[in-house]
Amino acid sequence: MADITFKGLYKIFDGDVTAVSDFSLDIEDKEFIVFVGPSGCGKSTTLRMVAGLEEITKGELYIGDEMVNDVAPKDRDIAMVFQNYALYPHMNVYDNMAFGLKLRKFKKAEIDDRVRNAAKILGLTEMLDRKPKAMSGGQRQRVALGRAIVRNPKVFLMDEPLSNLDAKLRVQMRAEITKLHQRLQTTTIYVTHDQTEAMTMATRIVVMKDGLIQQVGRPKDIYDYPDNVFVGGFIGSPAMNFLAGKLKDGFFHLGDHKIKVPEGKLKLLGNYNNKDIILGIRPEDIHDEPVFIEASEHSSFEAEIDVAELMGSETYLYSKIDNQDFIARVDSRTDINGGDKLKMAMDMNKCHFFDIETELRIR
Amino acid sequence: MLNRLKKNYSFAIPSNSQDIPPSSRLTVTDIEGTRLTFDKRKLTEDEATLLDTLFNEKETDLFHGKTKLEQLLYDTLLNKQELNTSELENHLTTPFRFIYFTVKGTLGNNEQFEEAMKSLFPTSPVCLWRNKSEGFLVQVIDEHFEEENDEESIIDTITSDFFVQIILYIGSPITSMNNIQTHFNWETSVFHIVRGFSPTKRIFHEHEIVPYFLLKDIPDETIKITLEKLEPVMEDQTLIESVKVYLECNMNTTLAAKKLYMHRNSLQYRVDKFIEKTSIDIKRFPNAVAVYLMFVLLQQKREL
């Protein structure tokens, strides 16, 4: 087990395409850290630099106390799990799990011990003789995890390991990987494009975009206090609503609508009076309950619902204010249909304001 | 480099390396993979040591093959000896195909790499090495052959065990032994030229390699003029990537959306947006081909 330190890491392909810029981060021993971001944001490239599969253009990378920039990948004591199951189709589960150990010249008895132990942890004991074809997607991915576990590495590197699974299995495997981490306590870097995976599995999340770290923090902190518009919009489903308007004398003006800004928030907006800013508010912080609306006279408004999507326990309402789209997440007991007019109110204590130029949260 | 060696050490280069005993062979390989075998008995000890140190290639079974078939193929394909069709036919049935690989990184153990590759490409009786980082498999297409649908998975399997990156080219089937040398030379040359074309392109499949080959040396001015058609979307990388995946999935929106982790309708919206902005209707095959080639050019410029 080990901590991992990135000091100003860069990856520049062939001198002109910068995939990762100035990546600095300290990952503590036993952490489960998730790199999340859209396609092409540099998360997999960063992971591959840790694995040694991509050369580091600039910067220093430490695993434990050792700088590993020039250490061969096989000597870094890491194990990788990929989106593809990465199994040998004509080997049974036992041989698939044992192969990496055979390569490293482990003794037979040690191999057997490790494989059976990993199989037990992953619930694969009864399937050791099976070939991958005779297994479900979830079982195959468990074998892939087993191939990594048997090595007992210092660090697990997982690159979108659940993306090939269907939605139901993904939820199940998410929990299994979390439990596995709790049991093994191995430092893990997990790459995903899926913000739900990031939120549910990470001890800390690293949000990336265009090769740059946008924010690092615990899932709740990132959700509640996004550093910029990108993070606010990327983390959370449905995404945070962003409404452009003007701050004037303690009110946020959205066309004809005037929404009172709470004192606490107003203090932070000292330099922004009479300026255009962006209001960010999560869908669940727009309410339709009469009690809330009554108590929020200065943040209530009426809007026509374009579409109402019943999701089961909740309903997503798609609407517009000042010709800008927003989504409200309300209790599904509300019986609303497209075309209805509805009074709603924003919980302004939960909202954020962002600079319209830099898109950074004003704080 | 090897030409100079050939000139200076012509006295020590046998016309046929098989004519000298294995213990007296010293084989060197340049970065292009061209091999040259010396007769050590005709070199001084210092000369042999120097050449050995500089090129660090050992004449081992790794390069010459362990079985009769491997030896035959080695001689025919790598040593460019005359094709003995009937003998080859005694050991290898048609149809078969070559699977070429390039390894980036240091392999600890070539034999286990071969075992892994043969396991990933079953019905492959042969794995031969051109040099330390390049080789090929011969995969027989018989009743036991199964088309692998997920070659990306093969690459990840190798990476997770050997911590190297590989680039693969799965060649097209060979049905007649008479064509073996021509076929091998063509595929080898094309793969040699296009591999490493893009940092993300890890696998080439049959004739998919041709557009990469054709576009490899296009003059900058031609590229510039061609890519002007993409100007309206050039800044929208997400849109370009989505449309690229859509084209690679044979314009199958459902499949492409799954690959991009997005809803089918969202991808459909992006495809329509691309058409609207560029005025190129990529739902029509000729237009789709043109845009695909433009994307390959973009990739070449490392802009994707």
Side-chain angles (χ1 to χ4, degrees):
Chain A
M1 294 185 204
D3 43 13
I4 305 168
T5 307
F6 302 77
K7 288 187 179 173
L9 238 59
Y10 282 81
K11 178 65 196 179
I12 302 168
F13 286 108
D14 280 2
D16 57 354
V17 178
T18 305
V20 179
S21 288
D22 198 16
F23 191 100
S24 293
L25 178 71
D26 289 317
I27 300 175
E28 286 173 26
D29 186 21
K30 300 177 188 173
E31 257 200 291
F32 192 107
I33 200 134
V34 176
F35 294 173
V36 68
S39 292
C41 72
K43 54 191 189 297
S44 286
T45 305
T46 309
L47 188 87
R48 293 171 77 81
M49 283 196 280
V50 179
L53 297 171
E54 295 289 355
E55 249 178 62
I56 295 165
T57 311
K58 199 174 134 191
E60 293 175 359
L61 173 68
Y62 293 84
I63 297 180
D65 296 329
E66 186 186 10
M67 188 168 94
V68 295
N69 287 43
D70 299 320
V71 174
K74 64 183 172 54
D75 298 328
R76 292 188 185 195
D77 200 3
I78 51 164
M80 294 189 80
V81 181
F82 294 96
Q83 172 184 341
N84 299 307
Y85 305 127
L87 302 177
Y88 296 96
H90 296 270
M91 288 185 195
N92 64 24
V93 171
Y94 185 99
D95 289 337
N96 260 292
M97 285 162 74
F99 190 78
L101 300 177
K102 265 169 59 189
L103 265 183
R104 285 160 186 78
K105 314 273 183 222
F106 278 73
K107 286 185 179 156
K108 265 191 179 172
E110 173 76 5
I111 292 175
D112 191 64
D113 193 39
R114 287 193 184 205
V115 169
R116 291 190 187 282
N117 191 32
K120 198 173 155 194
I121 292 172
L122 294 162
L124 291 170
T125 306
E126 305 302 317
M127 299 176 195
L128 286 172
D129 291 329
R130 275 199 212 169
K131 290 202 174 155
K133 251 186 196 162
M135 304 176 90
S136 69
Q139 288 166 339
R140 286 186 214 184
Q141 194 54 289
R142 265 192 270 159
V143 180
L145 284 169
R147 277 164 48 77
I149 290 170
V150 291
R151 291 193 201 156
N152 193 19
K154 275 187 197 162
V155 180
F156 282 129
L157 303 176
M158 302 192 185
D159 193 354
E160 304 261 12
L162 305 185
S163 297
N164 264 358
L165 306 179
D166 63 44
K168 202 175 164 189
L169 252 178
R170 214 156 45 216
V171 174
Q172 189 189 327
M173 284 301 289
R174 220 160 62 192
E176 286 196 27
I177 291 179
T178 305
K179 273 192 262 172
L180 195 65
H181 176 255
Q182 282 163 359
R183 181 168 181 167
L184 300 174
Q185 297 275 296
T186 307
T187 312
T188 303
I189 304 179
Y190 185 104
V191 163
T192 180
H193 68 281
D194 182 340
Q195 55 89 27
T196 312
E197 272 175 34
M199 288 294 289
T200 52
M201 299 171 82
T203 47
R204 277 193 305 157
I205 295 175
V206 178
V207 185
M208 294 181 72
K209 184 193 169 211
D210 298 335
L212 289 164
I213 292 181
Q214 300 293 311
Q215 190 171 356
V216 181
R218 292 183 304 148
K220 186 159 170 50
D221 293 339
I222 289 203
Y223 189 80
D224 289 343
Y225 302 101
D227 278 353
N228 57 39
V229 167
F230 174 77
V231 175
F234 193 80
I235 300 289
S237 180
M240 179 180 268
N241 297 298
F242 296 105
L243 303 164
K246 185 172 263 181
L247 181 71
K248 211 171 170 184
D249 303 328
F251 285 86
F252 182 70
H253 291 251
L254 268 167
D256 297 336
H257 301 278
K258 271 174 73 179
I259 293 168
K260 189 166 171 49
V261 180
E263 283 302 317
K265 302 264 178 205
L266 206 53
K267 274 183 198 161
L268 305 171
L269 299 172
N271 297 328
Y272 286 88
N273 197 29
N274 276 321
K275 284 187 181 165
D276 289 333
I277 51 173
I278 298 169
L279 165 79
I281 187 157
R282 296 254 176 230
E284 61 270 28
D285 296 324
I286 301 175
H287 297 261
D288 69 338
E289 309 95 80
V291 180
F292 188 90
I293 294 166
E294 261 174 49
S296 314
E297 191 190 342
H298 296 296
S299 68
S300 63
F301 60 94
E302 193 178 67
E304 186 178 320
I305 305 303
D306 296 329
V307 178
E309 280 183 350
L310 176 66
M311 307 301 291
S313 63
E314 55 201 12
T315 299
Y316 296 165
L317 303 176
Y318 294 76
S319 182
K320 285 189 178 68
I321 180 168
D322 185 32
N323 223 16
Q324 299 181 66
D325 292 322
F326 73 90
I327 303 174
R329 185 151 83 183
V330 300
D331 195 294
S332 63
R333 280 171 291 187
T334 313
D335 185 21
I336 304 162
N337 296 302
D340 290 353
K341 288 206 167 174
L342 183 71
K343 197 155 190 189
M344 290 179 268
M346 296 183 192
D347 184 349
M348 292 301 285
N349 289 311
K350 299 273 182 68
C351 78
H352 302 287
F353 289 100
F354 299 89
D355 185 292
I356 206 156
E357 295 292 325
T358 64
E359 297 195 343
L360 295 174
R361 180 160 59 88
I362 301 167
R363 49 185 164 171
Chain B
M1 174 73 92
L2 290 192
N3 282 338
R4 272 199 218 160
L5 287 179
K6 265 186 199 170
K7 200 174 154 192
N8 294 336
Y9 291 95
S10 56
F11 60 90
I13 299 170
S15 52
N16 183 350
S17 62
Q18 305 304 308
D19 295 342
I20 51 173
S23 59
S24 299
R25 291 177 203 159
L26 170 64
T27 299
V28 298
T29 309
D30 69 4
I31 50 168
E32 302 294 316
T34 314
R35 299 160 52 75
L36 189 59
T37 301
F38 295 89
D39 184 343
K40 273 201 280 193
R41 294 169 299 184
K42 295 181 179 169
L43 297 168
T44 66
E45 199 177 324
D46 283 350
E47 283 172 332
T49 309
L50 185 64
L51 284 170
D52 194 27
T53 310
L54 283 175
F55 293 93
N56 199 27
E57 291 282 357
K58 301 279 185 281
E59 187 76 356
T60 65
D61 285 350
L62 182 65
F63 296 110
H64 271 192
K66 303 166 207 67
T67 63
K68 179 69 182 167
L69 175 59
E70 286 182 339
Q71 186 64 56
L72 276 170
L73 287 168
Y74 178 87
D75 289 339
T76 310
L77 302 172
L78 297 178
N79 256 355
K80 317 275 184 206
Q81 288 180 12
E82 206 177 318
L83 171 67
N84 186 338
T85 315
S86 55
E87 195 165 7
L88 261 178
E89 278 170 349
N90 286 338
H91 294 88
L92 181 63
T93 55
T94 53
F96 60 88
R97 64 183 184 180
F98 293 115
I99 293 159
Y100 308 87
F101 55 84
T102 296
V103 179
K104 288 165 82 182
T106 311
L107 272 177
N109 186 323
N110 291 60
E111 282 190 10
Q112 271 165 325
F113 176 81
E114 285 178 24
E115 184 191 334
M117 287 294 280
K118 283 180 177 177
S119 170
L120 290 165
F121 290 101
T123 68
S124 299
V126 171
C127 181
L128 278 174
W129 293 82
R130 175 181 283 274
N131 57 43
K132 279 180 176 172
S133 59
E134 291 170 52
F136 61 91
L137 299 170
V138 176
Q139 188 178 34
V140 177
I141 303 170
D142 60 12
E143 68 274 20
H144 304 295
F145 168 83
E146 285 172 45
E147 186 64 76
E148 178 54 62
N149 293 319
D150 190 7
E151 287 100 358
E152 287 285 336
S153 174
I154 287 174
I155 290 175
D156 287 343
T157 308
I158 292 292
T159 301
S160 65
D161 276 327
F162 295 89
F163 292 99
V164 291
Q165 300 187 73
I166 56 168
I167 304 171
L168 287 177
Y169 171 32
I170 296 171
S172 42
I174 299 170
T175 48
S176 162
M177 208 60 88
N178 292 324
N179 302 332
I180 186 170
Q181 281 170 316
T182 324
H183 194 105
F184 178 81
N185 290 340
W186 187 87
E187 290 188 337
T188 308
S189 316
V190 176
F191 182 48
H192 187 73
I193 290 166
V194 306
R195 68 185 171 182
F197 187 83
S198 132
T200 50
K201 183 83 182 158
R202 304 192 294 173
I203 189 154
F204 298 92
H205 207 286
E206 295 194 15
H207 292 93
E208 178 207 20
I209 204 162
V210 173
Y212 290 88
F213 178 62
L214 289 176
L215 297 173
K216 185 81 170 80
D217 297 314
I218 298 258
D220 283 352
E221 190 55 28
T222 312
I223 294 176
K224 197 177 156 214
I225 293 167
T226 311
L227 292 184
E228 274 173 16
K229 296 299 292 176
L230 293 181
E231 206 51 56
V233 294
M234 203 63 105
E235 294 301 311
D236 194 341
Q237 286 297 339
T238 315
L239 181 63
I240 289 177
E241 272 169 38
S242 310
V243 173
K244 186 165 175 276
V245 173
Y246 166 75
L247 296 177
E248 283 170 348
C249 292
N250 309 319
M251 295 177 278
N252 179 332
T253 318
T254 308
L255 186 64
K258 197 178 168 197
K259 220 169 172 179
L260 288 162
Y261 320 115
M262 62 166 59
H263 193 274
R264 191 183 177 282
N265 291 349
S266 305
L267 179 63
Q268 194 57 56
Y269 167 76
R270 288 190 188 179
V271 169
D272 291 342
K273 188 175 161 190
F274 182 90
I275 295 171
E276 188 191 320
K277 285 194 162 188
T278 60
S279 305
I280 308 173
D281 183 358
I282 47 172
K283 290 174 185 168
R284 289 191 57 229
F285 180 71
N287 290 344
V289 172
V291 170
Y292 181 74
L293 292 177
M294 288 179 208
F295 285 166
V296 173
L297 281 175
L298 260 184
Q299 213 171 0
Q300 187 186 20
K301 283 166 66 75
R302 304 285 160 85
E303 286 177 15
L304 272 180

